[in-house]
Each structure stands twice: as structure tokens, then as C-alpha cells.
Amino acid sequence: MPATIIIGSQWGDEGKGKITDLLSADTDLVVRFQGGNNAGHTVIVADKTYKFHLIPSGVIFGKPCLIASGVVLDPAVLLKEIAVLRENALEPKLVIDPHTNIIMPWHQELDAAKEAVLGERKIGTTKKGIGPCYADRVNRTGIRFIDLLEEDLFREKVARNYADSKLLLESVYQQSPRYSEQEIFDQYHEMGASLRSYYGDVGGLVAKALKESKHVIFEGAQGTFLDISYGTYPFVTSSHTISGGVFSNVGIPPMSMDTIGIVKAYTTRVGSGPFPTELTDKLGDKIREIGKEFGTTTGRPRRVGWLDLVMLKYAHRLNGFTQLALTKLDVLSGLDSIKVAVGYRLADKPLQFPLSLKQLEQCEAVYEEFEGFEIDSSLREWDQLPEAAKKYINFISKTLQVPVSMVSVGPARKETIMASSGEQ
Ligand code: IMP
């Protein structure tokens, strides 16, 4: 197929960056289509560790990286990432769509102020201004990349938005804006000038590439259960994280694409919200430590739990996975036994993945238990995996009726088993 979509099947942090990076070797373009610098991915090449929040993972392979209109862009973060790449002698081939909305300082301030007011009911956002920026986008008051490049229009838009956000901050949240209007104008006008050369019609470039039978990767951020509509609302992010989001967020018509679901061998989530398979005991702490489950963006400890096939079945229904990449299997090595949720129960009745948040909070997970296994990051072949590990992988594949084509056993590119098996 001409294109591949990479989607987090859980609540984010499944290891999408590594898989995108790995597949970038054989692709022509890598496109980010939603989210912003709330995402964070770590890519390890040779002995060098790169942490990105915004720039698509394919950048290390020197591939053209495109930021589509569905992204919310913090120019200061992007410029920092470009600087890091240059320090490592990598010049990014970057294109930014003119319709991409810009995260402004008031978005970050409103994000934090809203969370503080919510108290116990807080979402647990990354406080990067993602929600308020998307809110301005649908409210038709946002500032887009193209506006940043047109001085008069930008000045006018800053004035209007600054006045509105100042009123909101002062009257609702009893807070003063951190910067003056002039400071913001000057700083963002300058950053716009530094990014001007990256201006380009992302949708048009993708459409042209696909017409010429080039291969395109669409790199998702966050995960299916953080989707603004189908995730565990309101404990979600503010964009469409599912595969269907690609088309409207890039500006191309729907077409059939290879859709890789990235499945971490266990489940994690950052921030608030229901989590039926959560482990709040010592075992959860152990998996968090071994798996280094601390946020790339915020450093927060991630909540940890068993793999949940009820969630994954719903994720498959939403995304139409054509293959699965199972990540961080090595983290489970050495456990006596491993549990997998195969059903939910509520008031003694079996339940599919419920569409009601209340039911999701109240339901209990029903588990199947698997024998533990010992593996390490040196494994490269499917046949080297212990039988118990194969059984675990095959069970996932069989339940979801989707082949597991990759098994990641360590953070580095080479620590990956290309498994054509899994379905049997
Ligand atoms: P926001 O996207 O900053 O508004 O945060 C909304 C929710 O999404 C919070 O629970 C965040 O922790 C979560 N979130 C946002 N980005 C990521 C990510 O890349 N990985 C995991 N969780 C994320």
C-alpha cells in the first residue's frame, strides 16, 4: 500500500517514535497530522538519544518531515528541536502547512489556570496549551502559521486575542498575563521569520507523492483512548488521534492505507481518568521502574497496568489495524505470570468496552493468566523467543484477528524482531 498510518492503540507512550523511525528508512515522506508538543518520543540511534516533541521521527533518517494543518505548533519548541538537530549535523527537511494553528503564551497560561480551578476533577494535561489552542481553532479565532508571516494581520490578531485572553485570565482566573502584547508580538514575529522558509502546501505535497507512488508515513501522536471523540472523554487530548483523522487533518481524500497499531505489552496512562487494568501495588511500581515509565514531556510517573484486550478490540474497530507492533516486551521479562484482560464485568454481567465513562470507572476486568518468560534485548528472531512469549503474542494476535508483524525488545532500532507470525 502507498501509505502507512502509525497509531497508538492505548493511552499514548506505546513506542510509536521508535517504530516510525525504523520504518522511515524505506519511506519518502513522514507526516505529523495531529497533536503538538504534548507528545514526546525518544529515538536511540547508535549511542545517541534524541528526544523530540514536535518534529516527526523520520528526521534522523534525513527524510522530508511534514507538519500538517491538524497539528498545533509551538514555534519556540520547534526552533529548539531544529537547533538540536543542527548541533548533530542534521539539517531537517521540514515543511509546515500554512493552516497549522500556533500555540501562543496565553494558551499555556489558560491551560494551567483551568487545570488549577478544576482541582480534583483536573484532566492532568501537559499544560502545553494544547486544549486552548484547539479551542481557538474551532472557535475560528486562532492564529495560524500563515498569519505569523503577514505582519499587519499578525499584529491585529495578537491584539484581539491578547485582549480576550487577558480579560479571561483576569476576570475568571484572577491572574495577570505573564508577557505584554508587544513582547509577544516581537518574539513570535521573529520566530515566524525564522520558520518562513518551511512554509509549504503539505496536503498538496502528500497528494503529489501518493500519485507518484511514493511511500508516506503518517505518524500519530498520543493514543486511541485520548481521542477527542472516542477516548475516555473528558480525560482526553483535544485532537483526533485515530486513523480516520489523517484525511481531514492533512487535506487528502480517504483511501486504503496500511494501519499499524502500536501495542505496548502492558498498559500505561498519564493524567486522570478510568483505567480498568491499573496496578496500584508493588508490581505496578516494578513495571514502571523497569519500563522507565516517566513522561518524556512532563517527567510525570505513568500509571501502569496489565494489557487490556477489551480496549484493544475497540481500538481495532475504530482504527482498522492491518498489523500490530508489540513494544516493550522485554519489560515483562522475569515476571512469574502475566495477566491480560479478556473481558469486563459490571453488576455480574459481561460487558464490551462501554461507551459510558461511568461504566468504565465501575467495571471490573476479567483476566486470563499466562506463564512468565525470560527474554532480553539481544533477541533478533521470532524462533529465539521462548514458547511462553510466543503464546502471549499469538493470543493477542488471535483475539484481535490482526497479525503481529514486529516485536520490540529494547529501545534501539536493532532491538526489534520482524515477526511474520503471531496470527497462528
Ligand atoms: P493535553 O493533550 O496536554 O491537553 O493533555 C490531555 C491528556 O492527554 C492528559 O491526560 C495528558 O497526560 C494526555 N497526553 C497528552 N499527550 C500525551 C502523550 O503524548 N502521551 C501520553 N499522554 C498524553
Side-chain angles (χ1 to χ4, degrees), residues 330-372:
D330 53 306
V331 174
L332 297 183
S333 176
L335 299 184
D336 293 337
S337 67
I338 295 166
K339 287 187 185 175
V340 178
V342 291
Y344 291 163
R345 285 191 85 76
L346 184 64
D348 265 341
K349 290 203 182 80
L351 193 71
Q352 301 293 317
F353 187 84
L355 302 184
S356 138
L357 192 78
K358 197 168 166 199
Q359 288 187 349
L360 190 64
E361 276 162 353
Q362 292 171 344
C363 72
E364 253 180 64
V366 179
Y367 292 102
E368 191 140 329
E369 199 154 347
F370 287 79
E371 193 190 324

Side-chain angles (χ1 to χ4, degrees), residues 11-13 38-40 123-126 130 222 226 236-237 270-271 300:
W11 277 294
D13 310 312
N38 48 347
I123 292 162
T125 73
T126 58
I130 307 296
Q222 291 87 43
L226 291 173
V236 293
T237 191
V270 230
R300 289 179 289 178

Side-chain angles (χ1 to χ4, degrees), residues 18 49 89 139 151 198 240 278 328 344 370:
K18 169 181 162 168
T49 301
N139 225 358
E151 187 169 345
Y198 299 121
H240 279 300
E278 185 167 13
K328 298 188 95 163
Y344 291 163
F370 287 79

